[in-house]
Amino acid sequence: MVYPIPEKPKKVYRDVMIGSASKDENGRYTNGIPGDQTGKEVWILNWYDQSWTSILRPTDAALAEKIASICEDACENNNIGYSQSSRNTLLAQAKLVNYDLSKVAPCNCDCSSFVSTCCVCAGLRESLFFPGGNGCTTWTIADACLQSGKFI
């Protein structure tokens, strides 16, 4: 499915923040130690222009706020680190603490499993975001969001 690329904003909004999961403690993408060893494996940073190909927005302000709050809790929890090779351990740990990402034990995620877990913790269907038990990828997460009926 092809989605239209929204127009780029005319100005950069410095008050827009991103919950980011980008690389492990060694600057790599696989085999990272569970947990955030550097404080910058999973963290909050200012919005930046990376020529994004799409923007997904929740259709409901309450859902948007819930996902943002869950994302902030996760970014503040140094038990959550980055590694593509153990990307689904965040969801497994979330289930053990009633989906409260501020309380998970050491685990890992990658960018798309991070967002997928935040959506599941906000009450969206796990089967959409973790089909077959594996988190969505960068290439499939937009479809999962749109299929939920909760995003545009």
Side-chain angles (χ1 to χ4, degrees), residues 63-128:
L63 177 62
E65 183 57 38
K66 189 172 187 179
I67 293 170
S69 178
I70 289 165
C71 179
E72 288 173 354
D73 286 347
C75 289
E76 292 172 5
N77 183 348
N78 284 331
N79 283 323
I80 304 171
Y82 185 95
S83 180
Q84 290 176 353
S85 53
S86 54
R87 65 193 295 274
N88 295 315
T89 59
L90 174 58
L91 180 63
Q93 285 297 317
K95 290 177 180 182
L96 298 175
V97 292
N98 199 29
Y99 299 93
D100 183 345
L101 297 186
S102 71
K103 297 179 180 178
V104 299
C107 58
N108 283 323
C109 62
D110 66 2
C111 59
S112 52
S113 69
F114 178 67
V115 172
S116 293
T117 300
C118 289
C119 288
V120 170
C121 290
L124 299 178
R125 285 193 347 243
E126 181 178 333
S127 61
L128 277 178

Side-chain angles (χ1 to χ4, degrees), residues 11-23:
K11 100 183 213 193
V12 174
Y13 297 95
R14 297 289 177 211
D15 58 338
V16 176
M17 306 302 286
I18 297 173
S20 177
S22 59
K23 54 189 163 188

Side-chain angles (χ1 to χ4, degrees), residues 56-61 63-64 67 119 122-125 128-129 144-152:
L56 297 162
R57 291 187 176 92
T59 56
D60 176 68
L63 177 62
I67 293 170
C119 288
L124 299 178
R125 285 193 347 243
L128 277 178
F129 292 91
C145 288
L146 295 172
Q147 288 174 22
S148 76
K150 303 291 185 182
F151 292 84
I152 56 171

